[in-house]
Amino acid sequence: MKWRGRGLSLPEGTGGLPGPLTLRARYSIDGEGALEILLEVESGAPTFCNPAPHSDCGISSGEVIG
């Protein structure tokens, strides 16, 4: 499995954040086509963050499935 990913750093004050926030998303597809997603978040101050993927939306159209 080869992992690929992206990251995003948000400075303190962005969207009301009390401190800097770093988000990382990595994904992998195994030999049988199964997708594995790893989400990581680091914050410089206590804050709420829910990086859950919204797999009920179509990838290209944004259409809700089900």
Side-chain angles (χ1 to χ4, degrees), residues 14-54:
T14 303
L17 289 172
L21 189 73
T22 301
L23 301 120
R24 286 184 221 64
R26 295 189 297 162
Y27 64 93
S28 172
I29 299 176
D30 71 14
E32 296 179 11
L35 173 66
E36 185 174 350
I37 300 172
L38 175 63
L39 302 173
E40 300 172 303
V41 178
E42 291 180 27
S43 177
T47 189
F48 292 102
C49 181
N50 181 4
H54 299 284

